[in-house]
Amino acid sequence: MTYCVGLSVNEGIVMLSDTRTNAGLDNISTFSKMFAVEQPGERALVLMTAGNLAITQAVVNHLQAGVWHNGVQQRLTDVPDMVSAAQLVGAAVRLVAQQDGPALGAQGLGFDCSLLLGGQIAGGPQRLFLIYSAGNFIEATDDTPFLQIGEHKYGKPILDRVLTPQTSLVMGVALTLISMDSTLRSNLSVGMPLDMAVIRTGECAIASRRRFTDDDPYYQTIRNGWSQALRDAYLALPRPDFIP
Amino acid sequence: MTYCVGLSVNEGIVMLSDTRTNAGLDNISTFSKMFAVEQPGERALVLMTAGNLAITQAVVNHLQAGVWHNGVQQRLTDVPDMVSAAQLVGAAVRLVAQQDGPALGAQGLGFDCSLLLGGQIAGGPQRLFLIYSAGNFIEATDDTPFLQIGEHKYGKPILDRVLTPQTSLVMGVALTLISMDSTLRSNLSVGMPLDMAVIRTGECAIASRRRFTDDDPYYQTIRNGWSQALRDAYLALPRPDFIP
């Protein structure tokens, strides 16, 4: 499995992915699921993938080679705005579905892929999209300023509770790591290391890109600090008075 | 969907279930999913169900009427020990599978049910089992002193982090409510009110049985207290220093 989460808050975008892939429990590998396109000051886009690795790598390969869309061969370095970028990713997904879908179906396999695309292109606002395996997409909004793909349930409650568009970018970084840590602890098919990219609103550039390994000091601080904080909070809860 | 969780700690057993059922999003009802068998001082057993409501109600009906098992018609009031109780529930599940499985299959429906059975019968230890739709079962252990059925992922991280066999019974009560609250917030198909039963080790009796409605003061305290504690804990986390 995979867990990827993207936040879009007023101060910018945080994208975080794990790197574990498995084709059966005895065939586990590390693959980056994060791809960035950057022309600093002009555009910064980060793509994260979940699902069948052959499918998602084919999507990325098509995007790098250029995808024919609306009569023109385009790359993420060419598109004029973020909606066009999401449409281009959707077009790449549909192209792979067309090429590989029938053969996958013949093997009894579904066409399983989903992607998060976040970023900003000069002249337009930052945006964060989730592209489905059908090539269509949804966008994060102020009501729900985050999107997730893959094994999303373990890490959702904390985002539901505390994330708002007013959350600062640095706290957004901490929050994605907490959400990921909850997932890592509860599901072995999601694994370290982690890839993170941060884009600050208006900069059209990647402010920080970082790989977190198990011994990353900040990740350790978050992991241990959060566990301890939860234990403390839980011990401080009022006791029920209806148990004799 | 459903969420039910059972804890087995040194001091006893806590069982908590939601009550929401849905046959399509426009057909939502409240059904208790918790059933108790009690002969105070001699036995106390609590059963919770998840899955297709017609299947789980049929299982409960069979258990109430008596199930032929090992050549004898037995009820949960008759079985000599907890393992026999779990076997009897499994036998009831297999009986329903035999009776309804083919017709369900003809409609393209799977045989979807799972149950948690916790309790104690005099002369034996308290035990907590998860019975699968195949009628076989697993037991909670000191390594993993909780079992869940239904929509289990949202409420699992907090249990993974803090629950041990040494957790007190009253804190176990608080913990199941936190786990349930995380699920309620993130998944609309799990809903109030909640049913709880608590069995204290050695008593072979139900120490407390309680229905929590939205306005239950203790549930409100836990819900608001936990949300606030998480927010405080999150705000107290160290900021990353790698974001320029």
Side-chain angles (χ1 to χ4, degrees):
Chain A
M1 279 296 283
T2 288
Y3 177 49
C4 299
V5 54
L7 313 182
S8 177
V9 294
N10 293 341
E11 288 185 8
I13 283 176
V14 182
M15 307 285 271
L16 180 69
S17 74
D18 84 315
T19 55
R20 184 159 293 176
T21 68
N22 64 306
L25 277 177
D26 57 348
N27 188 359
I28 288 181
S29 309
T30 298
F31 282 90
S32 179
K33 303 165 187 174
M34 178 179 284
F35 305 89
V37 170
E38 189 186 19
Q39 293 166 348
E42 199 278 319
R43 71 182 58 209
L45 292 87
V46 175
L47 187 69
M48 300 191 293
T49 64
N52 181 311
L53 188 65
I55 295 175
T56 59
Q57 287 195 346
V59 169
V60 172
N61 286 339
H62 279 301
L63 286 168
Q64 285 171 347
V67 179
W68 284 91
H69 183 54
N70 296 335
V72 197
Q73 194 181 25
Q74 300 177 68
R75 294 180 185 79
L76 289 175
T77 45
D78 307 323
V79 291
D81 53 56
M82 286 301 297
V83 171
S84 303
Q87 287 169 339
L88 192 69
V89 174
V93 170
R94 287 174 182 169
L95 184 57
V96 177
Q98 207 177 354
Q99 291 176 334
D100 296 353
L104 287 165
Q107 302 285 331
L109 298 170
F111 186 79
D112 168 27
C113 86
S114 52
L115 304 101
L116 292 183
L117 176 71
Q120 189 171 13
I121 295 175
Q126 73 178 22
R127 300 182 81 157
L128 173 63
F129 298 101
L130 190 170
I131 297 109
Y132 294 107
S133 53
N136 57 347
F137 50 86
I138 61 170
E139 183 175 7
T141 62
D142 278 1
D143 288 327
T144 305
F146 66 93
L147 292 170
Q148 306 168 289
I149 52 176
E151 187 59 273
H152 67 282
K153 294 186 179 183
Y154 302 108
K156 186 166 183 282
I158 185 63
L159 300 172
D160 281 333
R161 283 181 199 267
V162 305
L163 184 69
T164 71
Q166 288 74 44
T167 300
S168 71
L169 200 59
V170 288
M171 289 314 293
V173 166
L175 204 47
T176 57
L177 290 171
I178 293 170
S179 175
M180 179 65 77
D181 186 51
S182 298
T183 311
L184 290 171
R185 278 176 186 261
S186 291
N187 189 316
L188 283 183
S189 73
V190 177
M192 302 285 290
L194 312 176
D195 287 325
M196 178 180 279
V198 177
I199 299 170
R200 200 177 282 281
T201 306
E203 291 186 356
C204 296
I206 294 177
S208 176
R209 186 153 183 195
R210 188 177 179 95
R211 169 156 286 199
F212 294 91
T213 52
D214 256 326
D215 56 356
D216 182 277
Y218 184 67
Y219 182 66
Q220 284 187 341
T221 307
I222 290 286
R223 176 158 59 178
N224 300 333
W226 186 247
S227 277
Q228 192 55 50
L230 285 192
R231 255 180 249 120
D232 294 346
Y234 144 77
L235 289 172
L237 284 175
R239 269 61 174 170
D241 57 6
F242 51 85
I243 310 293
Chain B
M1 279 298 281
T2 288
Y3 178 48
C4 299
V5 55
L7 314 182
S8 177
V9 294
N10 294 340
E11 289 185 7
I13 283 177
V14 182
M15 306 286 271
L16 180 69
S17 74
D18 84 317
T19 55
R20 184 159 293 176
T21 67
N22 65 307
L25 277 178
D26 56 350
N27 188 1
I28 288 181
S29 310
T30 298
F31 283 89
S32 178
K33 302 165 187 173
M34 178 179 284
F35 306 88
V37 170
E38 189 187 19
Q39 293 167 348
E42 200 276 321
R43 72 182 58 209
L45 291 87
V46 175
L47 187 69
M48 300 192 293
T49 63
N52 181 311
L53 188 65
I55 294 175
T56 59
Q57 288 195 345
V59 169
V60 172
N61 287 338
H62 278 302
L63 287 169
Q64 285 170 348
V67 179
W68 284 91
H69 183 55
N70 296 335
V72 196
Q73 194 181 23
Q74 298 177 69
R75 294 181 184 78
L76 289 175
T77 46
D78 308 324
V79 291
D81 53 55
M82 286 300 298
V83 170
S84 304
Q87 287 169 340
L88 193 68
V89 174
V93 169
R94 287 174 182 171
L95 185 56
V96 177
Q98 209 177 351
Q99 291 176 335
D100 296 353
L104 287 165
Q107 301 285 332
L109 298 170
F111 186 79
D112 168 27
C113 87
S114 52
L115 303 100
L116 292 183
L117 175 71
Q120 189 170 14
I121 296 176
Q126 73 178 23
R127 300 182 81 157
L128 173 64
F129 297 102
L130 190 170
I131 298 110
Y132 293 107
S133 54
N136 57 347
F137 50 86
I138 60 169
E139 182 174 8
T141 63
D142 278 2
D143 288 327
T144 306
F146 67 93
L147 292 170
Q148 307 167 288
I149 51 177
E151 187 60 273
H152 66 282
K153 294 186 180 181
Y154 301 108
K156 186 166 183 283
I158 184 63
L159 299 173
D160 280 334
R161 282 180 200 267
V162 305
L163 183 69
T164 71
Q166 289 73 45
T167 300
S168 71
L169 201 58
V170 290
M171 289 314 293
V173 165
L175 205 47
T176 58
L177 290 171
I178 294 169
S179 174
M180 179 65 76
D181 186 51
S182 298
T183 311
L184 290 171
R185 279 176 186 261
S186 291
N187 189 316
L188 284 183
S189 74
V190 177
M192 302 285 290
L194 312 176
D195 288 325
M196 178 180 280
V198 178
I199 298 170
R200 200 177 281 283
T201 305
E203 291 186 354
C204 295
I206 294 177
S208 177
R209 186 153 182 195
R210 188 179 179 93
R211 169 156 286 200
F212 294 91
T213 52
D214 256 326
D215 56 358
D216 182 279
Y218 184 66
Y219 182 65
Q220 284 187 342
T221 307
I222 291 287
R223 176 159 58 179
N224 300 333
W226 187 248
S227 277
Q228 191 55 48
L230 286 192
R231 254 179 251 120
D232 293 347
Y234 144 77
L235 290 171
L237 285 175
R239 269 62 174 167
D241 58 5
F242 50 86
I243 310 293

